[in-house]
Amino acid sequence: MKAIYYTSFILLLFMISCGPTAKEKEEMRQQAIQDSIALVEASKPAILKILENIEKENPSIADFFVIPEIANSIKNKYGENYYSFLQQQTKPYNNTPSKVERRDNFYGEAEMYILSFKFETKYSGVIQFQYHINEDAVDVFTNLKVANDCYSLLNSDGTFALNEGSKWEGQYLEFDEFGDPIKDKPFIAIHNSDINGYNSTYIAVMKGDENHIRFYYSLPWHPAYFSHNELNSISIKNKQDGSIRELSNYQYDTRHCVLSEEDSRYIRELCDNNPQVSFSVRFVVTSYDLFPDGGEAVVIDFEDGVAFGLSNAVNAYFYRVF
């Protein structure tokens, strides 16, 4: 029996003495770490690997957009024409560092990579490239300048996106002698009536003559009864700062009037610069045979941002880049 215990003890000592040394254990641990890192790297999407490398090397903006994986991801989502347009805008920036930025989430985990820059070529605007890590998805936003401090998002088909919630609509406001709309005179317009609903006005812009804003109105004229019908004055009150502008040098009849370029520019800037723009248009008209009376005033309100985004709407309805 003692021999059995003695033999067992010797075997136990042998097993203990033959186990891995501390150095071997550390080597095994390091190998496991390297294997784990290699597995993670192998599972990363191709674009993520490239962006991690770009973050370190910081290539130029022009070079960034011709990297095959980046270029193909944009072409696959937005098409060849959109990519070609991007390349035209980025080509001059071959000495401008891309400065790709990594954005982390609340937990400090990498969430996306972003490249954003302003460009001035034939066009001017802002391009932003986004790569969403968890979705392995690319987004590109191109906003082109269409007026002072006014930008419109470019769609992948070369058209402009209409601002979300915009009240501007495509309209036909000119008609032939049969009452049919004149198709080669398209307009964008917004419409409102006075408080009683008796009188109304379209604020409109015609394609090809964007420098002149037009009012198409229903006002208290009486052309069937009087020989003279006059538009005595038009004024606009900016309800946000209380200022009043008297319009001048407009051409009118009883159906519509065409504003001067100067006054048209004032209204366009009013409609472009503030999403909450609010203003009123006041018309004073007279209809008479021999002697004019004091005139009749009509006020039409365009409040709470209903007229916002005029330049955006002009481009969205009338034009495209490619």
Side-chain angles (χ1 to χ4, degrees):
M1 193 70 175
K2 288 182 179 181
I4 294 174
Y5 288 143
Y6 178 76
T7 302
S8 299
F9 179 70
I10 293 298
L11 288 172
L12 180 61
L13 287 177
F14 178 78
M15 292 174 62
I16 293 173
S17 64
C18 289
T21 64
K23 181 181 179 181
E24 290 172 333
K25 288 180 180 179
E26 178 59 22
E27 290 175 349
M28 291 170 63
R29 190 179 73 84
Q30 291 298 329
Q31 185 60 49
I33 292 173
Q34 293 303 316
D35 290 345
S36 178
I37 292 173
L39 184 62
V40 170
E41 287 297 317
S43 65
K44 283 183 179 179
I47 294 182
L48 177 57
K49 294 179 186 178
I50 289 167
L51 287 169
E52 289 175 340
N53 193 49
I54 287 172
E55 189 180 13
K56 300 171 188 174
E57 296 185 354
N58 197 22
S60 72
I61 288 171
D63 289 341
F64 175 89
F65 281 95
V66 296
I67 294 171
E69 290 81 359
I70 300 293
N72 289 334
S73 68
I74 296 172
K75 292 176 186 178
N76 290 339
K77 183 168 184 178
Y78 297 98
E80 291 279 352
N81 290 337
Y82 187 88
Y83 173 75
S84 295
F85 177 79
L86 283 183
Q87 198 174 19
Q88 291 168 13
Q89 313 320 307
T90 58
K91 190 179 295 184
Y93 295 88
N94 55 359
N95 292 316
T96 305
S98 54
K99 296 181 180 178
V100 172
E101 178 187 356
R102 191 185 82 174
R103 298 278 179 88
D104 295 340
N105 60 21
F106 178 78
Y107 303 100
E109 300 167 335
E111 188 171 43
M112 71 166 62
Y113 281 89
I114 293 178
L115 184 159
S116 184
F117 73 101
K118 292 183 178 181
F119 64 93
E120 292 283 346
T121 57
K122 176 184 175 182
Y123 302 92
S124 61
V126 179
I127 292 174
Q128 185 175 95
F129 171 93
Q130 296 180 357
Y131 174 71
H132 304 272
I133 295 173
N134 291 336
E135 293 82 13
D136 186 27
V138 164
D139 285 324
V140 180
F141 302 97
T142 302
N143 286 280
L144 298 183
K145 189 174 183 179
V146 294
N148 290 335
D149 299 320
C150 181
Y151 293 80
S152 290
L153 180 66
L154 182 66
N155 292 322
S156 61
D157 64 354
T159 60
F160 290 91
L162 187 66
N163 288 342
E164 185 176 354
S166 176
K167 304 301 182 184
W168 292 92
E169 296 180 341
Q171 301 274 353
Y172 289 109
L173 299 173
E174 294 281 351
F175 301 88
D176 63 19
E177 63 270 28
F178 296 97
D180 295 322
I182 301 175
K183 295 296 182 69
D184 59 357
K185 288 186 176 181
F187 292 82
I188 55 114
I190 53 171
H191 176 265
N192 208 359
S193 303
D194 64 4
I195 193 170
N196 298 312
Y198 297 138
N199 305 288
S200 63
T201 296
Y202 285 93
I203 300 178
V205 176
M206 186 176 75
K207 183 178 181 180
D209 190 24
E210 292 85 3
N211 291 331
H212 293 98
I213 285 177
R214 290 164 159 79
F215 292 137
Y216 283 79
Y217 39 53
S218 172
L219 298 176
W221 309 99
H222 300 287
Y225 305 103
F226 300 104
S227 57
H228 299 284
N229 297 278
E230 295 182 358
L231 179 54
N232 297 0
S233 68
I234 309 174
S235 55
I236 294 179
K237 181 178 181 180
N238 182 340
K239 292 195 171 186
Q240 292 170 299
D241 63 14
S243 62
I244 297 175
R245 182 183 180 95
E246 296 289 338
L247 307 190
S248 60
N249 300 321
Y250 47 80
Q251 298 176 338
Y252 74 91
D253 56 29
T254 56
R255 191 173 57 84
H256 82 301
C257 73
V258 181
L259 304 187
S260 68
E261 287 192 16
E262 183 180 358
D263 287 332
S264 296
R265 186 163 51 250
Y266 166 77
I267 293 176
R268 180 176 285 224
E269 291 175 356
L270 196 64
C271 294
D272 282 343
N273 293 339
N274 191 329
Q276 299 302 317
V277 59
S278 292
F279 60 90
S280 298
V281 184
R282 185 175 187 267
F283 302 93
V284 178
V285 302
T286 14
S287 297
Y288 64 96
D289 277 331
L290 297 176
F291 302 103
D293 57 20
E296 189 170 351
V298 171
V299 175
I300 311 290
D301 295 322
F302 295 89
E303 298 181 315
D304 301 324
V306 68
F308 176 65
L310 172 54
S311 292
N312 165 258
V314 166
N315 284 278
Y317 280 101
F318 296 158
Y319 297 107
R320 63 188 307 143
V321 177
F322 53 82

